[in-house]
Amino acid sequence: MMLMEECGPEEIDPDTAVRGLENMGYEILQLSRDDRGELLELIERMARDSDSHTADFLRALPFSIGMVDGLPPESGGEAD
């Protein structure tokens, strides 16, 4: 997902990227409640082991696809 979000228009067609992100979000939202919980835990573990830019993206992902209501947490702002 991050690849499609971060690529410029010369690397991937913007319309294709948006459709791909929407399709992935849709599939994630079809997961069972337990599977979504496991995915949220996995995302947080991955975020803890990532640089601040990637961690911010990962932590915002559940909010951006509608998996979690509200606003994403503030950026960690830690230097790499």
Side-chain angles (χ1 to χ4, degrees):
M1 291 182 111
M2 190 170 186
L3 173 71
M4 285 193 236
E5 182 73 25
E6 297 286 321
C7 283
E10 66 283 348
E11 298 169 300
I12 189 169
D13 177 70
D15 292 334
T16 301
V18 168
R19 278 193 309 274
L21 290 169
E22 288 172 347
N23 288 338
M24 284 187 251
Y26 173 81
E27 292 298 328
I28 289 170
L29 293 175
Q30 302 309 302
L31 294 173
S32 71
R33 182 184 197 96
D34 289 342
D35 287 343
R36 282 183 289 182
E38 286 184 40
L39 180 59
L40 289 172
E41 291 173 11
L42 175 62
I43 288 170
E44 182 53 36
R45 283 196 313 268
M46 290 171 54
R48 283 194 305 264
D49 293 336
S50 299
D51 62 82
S52 61
H53 176 74
T54 302
D56 289 345
F57 175 85
L58 289 168
R59 288 184 174 121
L61 183 63
F63 296 90
S64 64
I65 65 167
M67 195 173 163
V68 176
D69 291 332
L71 297 173
E74 291 293 320
S75 169
E78 300 171 336
D80 294 333

